[in-house]
Structures are given as structure tokens and as C-alpha cells.
Amino acid sequence: MSKIQIVYHFGEESVCMTEEITSFEQLSLREETRKALKKMGFAAPTPVQAQTIPVMMDGYDVIAKAPTGTGKTCAFGIPLMETIRPDCADIQAVIVCPTRELCIQIADELRQLMAFRPDLRLACLYGGQPIAKQLTVLKKNPHIVVATPGRLLDHMGRGTAWLGNVYTAVLDEADEMLKMGFIKDVRRILNATPGDTQVVMFSATISREVMDVAWEYQHDAVEITVQAQGESRPLIAQFEMLSSGDRRTQDMLAIIDELDLHRVMVFCNRKNTVRRLSDRLHKQGRSVDCLHGDIPQSQRNRVMSGYREGAFEILVATDVAARGIDVDDVEAVFNYDIPDENEYYLHRIGRTGRARRKGMAFTFITPDDRFRMRDIKKYTHSEMEAVAFNDAGHLVTENGLPLTEALELQIEE
Ligand code: ADP
Ligand code: MG
């Protein structure tokens, strides 16, 4: 069963709604689309489809991390069936992917979805096929174009493909495409679409390049993560600690020192908290740097490579700024603030315990956060143990076990 979480942003505030999507009926799709899905033999949406379709239909940008074989083509294909206006003769959706084989596969699947939509036209453009044939298809005013970057740019240059009225741009297998050196081409394609185009990215991994493109072209993108079947949960011991206000800083440093940690990430919900905390840690002589939305791209890259290379020990960040950081051996994650969204809790703690290394996560809470924490635990299927300092100033769990021992136990389970 998959849950869909829709997040609405108002400045720095966000409101979160959760709904279970288990059938295509819940998605209120057009009759023609439902008939096509039936004909294709699809009984229920896959998790990535359940999560992506409503969010895309609401017009949000999406960045979806999902392994192959999870049904990504229909995840973006179905919303296109719903949003494209057949009476408009311009290209309204462009799907860019790295290879001709993928182009053909995607076009095939979309044509099946369009089985009962004679009013929609699709063009498939890739290198190696005669231009003349593609010109004939383009003259028929396709609504949807599936293309490799090079051939699409070729047509844009000739004036045979115009993206000035594109509503949705999809980058499929974005990590592969950008790794293959298409980043400039992708930028030129996205630059040719209107500034408010919905940008949807699918990727098996969130690489640095993927993150850069997301940063540049997406606005408040909804992040979707789908785990591969059988992918094991990372080894993360999770703890909560009663602490609030400025006391959190000292408690955090005490934990860092007691456990002798040298590579930690600290998450705060607001840019201002990130700034204040990192200033305070800096003044206390700690090796620290920070990331938040107001930090320019060039500096962001410097901070990230510095962290990756171990140039400093504590990285303080907001959720959005930390998106996609690919550092494998973060020893511990601190939730200085409880995340606003349940999904973020998973994203945050997922920075540690990677590559089969053991990791740990600490969340600072107040007694008022009981219900919020219960919600997070339920949503994420997580267990958390309470820790506190004993009279001798050592970290112990509720039953008086030293933290170091509790760590071993939690991870072995
Ligand atoms: P991905 O792009 O994630 O690798 P595809 O979109 O190519 O995955 O889909 C993988 C396979 O699953 C395809 O054969 C597709 O037809 C099938 N498929 C997609 N959605 C569903 C569904 N809801 N139910 C059953 N099969 C599906
Ligand atoms: Mg695919």
C-alpha cells in the first residue's frame, strides 16, 4: 500500500496532507485513460505512480528517485493524458531521455495509454532516424514529443520544434543523461520552455548533476523516493532526547564528544536557525559549515565538496539545501528541529547508515511533541529509544544502559 503525501508551501510554512492511494479510481482519471489502463492489464498503480500522478496533476514539480522497473513511464504518462489540451496545436509536453532505445520504449507505452485518445498526437525524435520522416510527423503538430537531447535541439535550431508553449518537461533517467554529458543540451532545452514550465525529473540516483538541474529549474519540487523491492533498510539506530531551545546545542555537542563523532549532519527547519546555530558552533571553536536556500550555487558546491573531503566535521542544513548530498559515511544525523514533514525524517536519517555502515540519528523533542513523534514513528515504521544524561553526565537509555551499548543492540536487531 502506498501513501501519498502532498505538501503545500506558503513561504517557510508548509501544510501536509496524507492520503492512501491504492487504486486508479481514486485518481479520478478520464474514462479513456481508465479504459487504456484496463486494456494494458494494469490493475493498480505502482508506488511511484500512486505518488507521482496526483502531485503532477496538481501542477507541482517533481523529483522522483526510483529504480528501474517501477513503472515510471506511466507515472508521468498518465498525468499528461489528463493535462494536455488537444485543441491547442503546440507542443505541450516534452520528454527527454538519454538513448534512442528509451525513446522508442517510452513512445510505445505512451501510445498504449493514448489508445482511446485519437485527439492526441505524439512524435518520437532521436538521432539516426532520417530527419525527413521526423519533419512529416512534426508538421502534424504533435502535443507530446519524446526525444533525445541532440535531435531535439537539432529540430529546435531548424525551427521545426518550438517549445515556447510547453507545459510539462520530463527528464527521464536524468542521472544517466547528465552523466553522458548532456547537461548543456538539457539546459538549452529547458531554457527554451516558459519559465513556469512544470519540470519533472526521474532518476535512479540523485547525483550532483541531477541536483544542480533541480536547483536551477525546479520550484518547491515534491520529492518522491521509491525503494527497490527487497532493498534492505539501512542500519540506523534511532534515539530521541528531551531538550529544547539553546540547550540543544550543548546536548548535541556532548553527544558528539562522548561518541567521538567527526562527520555529522544537523538538520534545522528554518534558514535562520541554520545560520544562528552554525555561527554559535563556530564561535565555540567547532569545525562547522552550513547550507541553506540563500547560499549561492558556487558556495554550495564548495561547502559540499569540503564536507565530502572531511574539511570540516559538522554540516548544519535545511532539508531543501541538503537534498541529494551523496556523502556515504555520515556517522550521525541530528534533528535539531523535528522535521515538518514525515517524509523528511526518512530523507534526513537516510544520510547515515549508508553503504552498510552503521549510523545513528538523534531527534530533540519536548514533551509537547509526543503526538508529532508518534505520527513520525508510525509513518516511517521507526523505533526510537529515549536517551538522557545520567547524574555522572553520561548518555544512557531509559533503562540505564550506556548509549554505546544501546547502539550495538539496536543495530544488531
Ligand atoms: P521504469 O521506467 O521505472 O523502469 P517502466 O515504466 O518501463 O519502468 O515499467 C516497467 C514495466 O512495468 C513495463 O513493462 C510496464 O508496462 C509495467 N507497468 C507499469 N505500470 C504498471 C502497473 N500499474 N501495473 C502493472 N504493470 C505495470
Ligand atoms: Mg523508464
Side-chain angles (χ1 to χ4, degrees):
M1 223 187 304
S2 79
K3 250 181 209 163
I4 150 84
Q5 189 175 39
I6 304 175
V7 182
Y8 297 94
H9 294 272
F10 306 98
E12 281 199 317
E13 301 300 314
S14 57
V15 175
C16 165
M17 286 166 52
T18 305
E19 193 187 341
E20 304 263 9
I21 301 277
T22 51
S23 74
F24 284 120
E25 280 67 46
Q26 271 166 287
L27 297 167
S28 47
L29 304 174
R30 297 170 66 115
E31 173 74 48
E32 298 94 323
T33 313
R34 289 206 307 265
K35 265 168 74 178
L37 288 167
K38 201 165 169 194
K39 192 174 165 200
M40 291 161 86
F42 295 179
T46 64
V48 71
Q49 290 165 2
Q51 294 184 73
T52 308
I53 295 167
V55 174
M56 256 184 90
M57 279 167 64
D58 277 350
Y60 285 94
D61 287 356
V62 173
I63 181 158
K65 178 172 179 274
T68 43
T70 49
K72 292 189 284 290
T73 317
C74 280
F76 62 78
I78 292 171
L80 295 184
M81 298 300 118
E82 308 305 303
T83 50
I84 286 176
R85 289 171 297 135
D87 51 337
C88 165
D90 295 326
I91 298 172
Q92 291 165 58
V94 57
I95 297 143
V96 191
C97 63
T99 65
R100 108 176 51 169
E101 290 71 29
L102 259 173
C103 266
I104 296 170
Q105 265 178 42
I106 294 170
D108 270 356
E109 187 112 351
L110 295 184
R111 286 201 181 98
Q112 292 185 51
L113 270 180
M114 288 161 54
F116 301 96
R117 293 295 302 277
D119 53 340
L120 292 187
R121 292 176 298 274
L122 177 143
C124 185
L125 313 172
Y126 47 85
Q129 195 188 38
I131 285 271
K133 195 177 160 197
Q134 296 177 352
L135 291 178
T136 318
V137 181
L138 284 169
K139 279 213 187 84
K140 291 183 186 152
N141 298 319
H143 302 102
I144 305 173
V145 164
V146 185
T148 49
R151 186 53 68 99
L152 180 57
L153 280 171
D154 193 347
H155 282 289
M156 286 161 61
R158 288 163 182 260
T160 47
W162 181 70
L163 305 187
N165 209 7
V166 163
Y167 182 81
T168 306
V170 179
L171 306 182
D172 195 22
E173 312 234 335
D175 50 349
E176 284 299 316
M177 188 151 60
L178 300 177
K179 204 163 68 192
M180 286 164 71
F182 283 126
I183 191 149
K184 266 197 189 135
D185 291 354
V186 166
R187 282 210 168 93
R188 282 168 63 196
I189 290 166
L190 291 175
N191 287 340
T193 65
D196 57 356
T197 296
Q198 177 183 43
V199 177
V200 178
M201 296 174 71
F202 288 93
S203 208
T205 58
I206 306 294
S207 62
R208 170 81 75 88
E209 290 81 7
V210 170
M211 209 172 66
D212 285 347
V213 170
W215 184 274
E216 208 172 324
Y217 293 98
Q218 293 192 311
H219 311 276
D220 280 338
V222 175
E223 273 186 58
I224 290 167
T225 306
V226 174
Q227 285 208 335
Q229 287 270 312
E231 191 174 296
S232 62
R233 279 175 87 80
L235 307 167
I236 307 168
Q238 300 171 59
F239 302 98
E240 57 188 22
M241 184 178 213
L242 274 174
S243 185
S244 60
D246 290 347
R247 223 188 72 207
R248 288 173 293 179
T249 312
Q250 293 325 312
D251 285 342
M252 181 173 83
L253 291 176
I255 295 172
I256 289 175
D257 292 342
E258 172 140 342
L259 297 175
D260 194 27
L261 303 173
H262 296 281
R263 204 200 281 275
V264 307
M265 273 185 91
V266 186
F267 285 96
C268 309
N269 293 351
R270 312 272 172 267
K271 293 172 203 169
N272 277 336
T273 323
V274 168
R275 280 197 205 98
R276 261 189 292 126
L277 177 60
S278 99
D279 282 351
R280 197 179 309 137
L281 293 172
H282 190 73
K283 284 197 185 106
Q284 299 195 16
R286 296 290 174 154
S287 165
V288 60
D289 212 332
C290 70
L291 284 175
H292 55 71
D294 290 346
I295 290 180
Q297 169 85 32
S298 54
Q299 192 185 338
R300 201 167 54 97
N301 290 343
R302 270 201 306 278
V303 172
M304 285 199 304
S305 50
Y307 186 58
R308 202 172 289 119
E309 288 151 18
F312 60 94
E313 300 187 349
I314 305 172
L315 176 61
V316 187
T318 56
D319 294 283
V320 175
R323 171 185 294 172
I325 284 187
D326 57 341
V327 179
D328 269 345
D329 49 356
V330 175
E331 290 171 293
V333 165
F334 286 89
N335 292 309
Y336 195 79
D337 297 314
I338 297 173
D340 286 333
E341 294 142 34
N342 296 343
E343 184 75 24
Y344 281 176
Y345 180 81
L346 282 183
H347 281 286
R348 288 179 178 187
I349 70 165
R351 311 292 177 192
T352 184
R354 286 200 194 178
R356 317 269 327 146
R357 284 191 175 87
K358 293 170 183 180
M360 52 194 128
F362 295 91
T363 304
F364 291 121
I365 58 166
T366 69
D368 293 342
D369 298 322
R370 243 185 8 256
F371 294 108
R372 180 78 192 95
M373 288 308 286
R374 199 172 66 186
D375 192 39
I376 289 183
K377 286 172 200 170
K378 203 171 131 203
Y379 175 82
T380 60
H381 308 285
S382 306
E383 297 281 341
M384 287 178 223
E385 232 174 314
V387 285
F389 288 100
N390 67 8
D391 294 340
H394 291 295
L395 279 165
V396 291
T397 63
E398 274 170 315
N399 24 18
L401 205 63
L403 182 62
T404 41
E405 281 176 37
L407 260 171
E408 291 301 317
L409 278 178
Q410 261 217 31
I411 284 172
E412 273 163 21
E413 271 160 17

